[in-house]
Amino acid sequence: MKKIQMVDLGGQYEGIKEQVNSAIATIMETSAFINGPEVKSFQSELEAYLSVKHVIPCANGTDALQIAMMGLGLEPGDEVITADFTFAATVEVIALLQLTPVLVDVEPDTFNIDIAAVEKAITPKTKAIVPVHLFGQCANMDAIMQLAEQHNLYVIEDNAQAIGADYTFNNGKKQKAGTIGHVGATSFFPSKNLGAYGDGGAIFTNDDELAHTLRGIVNHGMYERYHHDVVGVNSRLDSIQAAVLRAKLPKLDQYCNRRRQAARSYNSAFREQANIITPRTTQCGEEICDTCTCHVFHQYTLRITNGKRDALVKHLAEKDIPCGVYYPIPLHKQKAYVDERYNEADFPVTNQLVKEVISLPMHTELDGEQIDFITKTVVDFVNG
């Protein structure tokens, strides 16, 4: 059996090696390292894939979130509602811009932001909602967009983990994750479903005026060289990363399908296990149907309900099976974001999830032998 990896980027590289190497060689020969042809081509190709008017490439996913908020003109003290159960980058940029983060609980089955908690948290100071499409599927965007319209709020989609996922509205219409709100942000960190070989990110919007503002912000506030019209930052996707992403983009749906197939195999092995809760998809429920496009399984995350999660992490390490706990500490308990405004009674789901969640290896190169070994190891230990 091949060595099991949390993410097998080396194996994935074998399928795109010639295209990547050739493109990088051309970049080296032309020295078009910043804002070169590869970046412009990737931007256009991603716009076409997402059916969105504007893609603004930038240096990383955290910058993408920050620049999105800067472009909307949010001001210090404005309240921004987001999920308590997610990576810190989401709340980090809110704090960096001197906005006021408002953390709320999540749903126990999808891990995404709880709509009732969002509605309860809205005040006259609220200016934006940041739904995080966690682990590979969209939050309830029908309800979020309805709340935003009712209260005149911006919606900033944190799409770092769900690029390629479809969201099906209540009326049957489908739209790509990250293109539904006023603006979306994503990361091309190497382990993402669409990952570069270094840092990278992008911002999406259908708003022409906002797109113009964002294009200036990513480049020191310049639209004309040495003319700084807005306060900006230095956040540009380099040409080599764009070349890697161009090679992967046509394969993104294929990559996501491979992840779904691995998730189906995991689900099948864990079915009927009383102490294991498998991921739930918004479109298919506990199963993952053959036509599923609502979940791209950036992570495959279980809940271990009999108190053995931490012991399982140790046991898997002893068996050379990598895993991850995403996330072990709620944001409202992180030292940087502790605030007397928060009441523990408002976070029952998040406080339970951090004790139970464990993410198993998930990538495009997983094979049946590896999955069989992983699942048998998990089941035997949890029930032992």
Side-chain angles (χ1 to χ4, degrees):
M1 182 177 66
K2 294 187 301 182
K3 180 182 178 182
I4 298 173
Q5 301 182 63
M6 196 67 180
V7 181
D8 185 3
L9 294 177
Q12 188 184 70
Y13 169 64
E14 291 301 317
I16 54 174
K17 179 186 289 187
E18 290 186 11
Q19 184 179 349
V20 168
N21 289 357
S22 174
I24 291 175
T26 299
I27 292 167
M28 299 304 293
E29 291 167 0
T30 61
S31 300
F33 299 119
I34 302 293
N35 286 338
E38 290 288 340
V39 177
K40 293 178 174 59
S41 294
F42 173 66
Q43 174 187 315
S44 297
E45 290 160 9
L46 187 55
E47 287 169 346
Y49 173 82
L50 296 172
S51 296
V52 71
K53 290 179 70 175
H54 303 284
V55 167
I56 298 94
C58 61
N60 57 69
T62 306
D63 278 5
L65 280 170
Q66 178 176 323
I67 293 161
M69 293 180 194
M70 292 172 68
L72 292 172
L74 301 182
E75 298 179 353
D78 287 347
E79 293 180 355
V80 179
I81 300 171
T82 194
D84 188 40
F85 185 67
T86 187
F87 183 60
T90 314
V91 70
E92 180 178 64
V93 296
I94 298 170
L96 281 170
L97 293 173
Q98 296 184 320
L99 308 172
T100 301
V102 178
L103 298 170
V104 300
D105 211 1
V106 297
E107 299 172 338
D109 49 1
T110 68
F111 309 115
N112 279 324
I113 198 165
D114 182 275
I115 301 305
V118 173
E119 187 168 16
K120 181 181 177 182
I122 294 172
T123 76
K125 294 183 178 180
T126 306
K127 293 296 185 291
I129 306 169
V130 184
V132 181
H133 301 327
L134 201 68
F135 299 152
Q137 69 177 331
C138 285
N140 184 344
M141 293 303 293
D142 277 287
I144 288 168
M145 296 307 294
Q146 185 176 9
L147 280 176
E149 184 175 356
Q150 288 174 354
H151 297 276
N152 194 29
L153 307 176
Y154 292 118
V155 175
I156 305 159
E157 293 178 76
D158 184 338
N159 196 42
Q161 298 186 16
I163 192 165
D166 288 327
Y167 180 79
T168 302
F169 289 89
N170 293 336
N171 63 9
K173 175 187 173 184
K174 285 191 175 184
Q175 201 165 331
K176 287 293 184 186
T179 69
I180 302 164
H182 298 89
V183 63
T186 200
S187 166
F188 301 128
F189 187 77
S191 64
K192 304 299 185 185
N193 291 37
L194 180 62
Y197 290 162
D199 272 319
I203 311 156
F204 318 138
T205 187
N206 286 303
D207 184 321
D208 296 340
E209 184 176 346
L210 176 58
H212 175 74
T213 301
L214 297 171
R215 292 191 195 285
I217 292 173
V218 300
N219 190 32
H220 296 290
M222 292 189 294
Y223 300 99
E224 181 182 350
R225 193 166 177 80
Y226 301 125
H227 292 254
H228 304 274
D229 294 349
V230 295
V231 176
V233 297
N234 176 23
S235 185
R236 296 168 297 205
L237 181 69
D238 74 67
S239 297
I240 289 176
Q241 304 311 328
V244 173
L245 294 166
R246 285 192 72 201
K248 289 188 176 186
L249 181 58
K251 297 179 177 291
L252 177 56
D253 289 342
Q254 175 186 327
Y255 291 162
C256 293
N257 282 331
R258 287 182 182 175
R259 287 170 177 263
R260 290 187 195 104
Q261 188 55 50
R264 290 186 188 99
S265 297
Y266 275 137
N267 272 15
S268 177
F270 296 131
R271 191 174 291 119
E272 309 302 331
Q273 296 296 321
N275 299 314
I276 299 174
I277 300 176
T278 55
R280 181 180 178 86
T281 64
T282 55
Q283 183 174 300
C284 318
E286 294 178 3
E287 301 302 323
I288 307 165
C289 71
D290 292 339
T291 58
C292 176
T293 59
C294 69
H295 204 317
V296 297
F297 288 96
H298 173 62
Q299 301 292 350
Y300 180 86
T301 303
L302 299 173
R303 293 178 61 185
I304 306 299
T305 60
N306 62 349
K308 288 189 173 184
R309 194 276 308 276
D310 290 344
L312 176 60
V313 170
K314 182 179 179 182
H315 180 69
L316 291 177
E318 291 170 351
K319 296 291 186 179
D320 293 324
I321 300 173
C323 65
V325 174
Y326 311 119
Y327 299 89
I329 305 172
L331 290 178
H332 79 273
K333 291 184 178 179
Q334 295 283 358
K335 186 177 179 180
Y337 306 112
V338 167
D339 195 297
E340 62 183 11
R341 293 176 293 124
Y342 298 131
N343 184 337
E344 286 302 312
D346 292 331
F347 302 99
V349 175
T350 296
N351 286 338
Q352 188 66 27
L353 290 178
V354 297
K355 302 172 186 176
E356 296 179 346
V357 292
I358 182 170
S359 298
L360 300 182
M362 175 52 73
H363 54 80
T364 58
E365 312 305 308
L366 275 174
D367 61 38
E369 184 180 18
Q370 291 174 316
I371 291 173
D372 288 345
F373 179 68
I374 294 166
T375 54
K376 185 177 187 305
T377 303
V378 171
V379 169
D380 287 350
F381 183 83
V382 171
N383 292 333

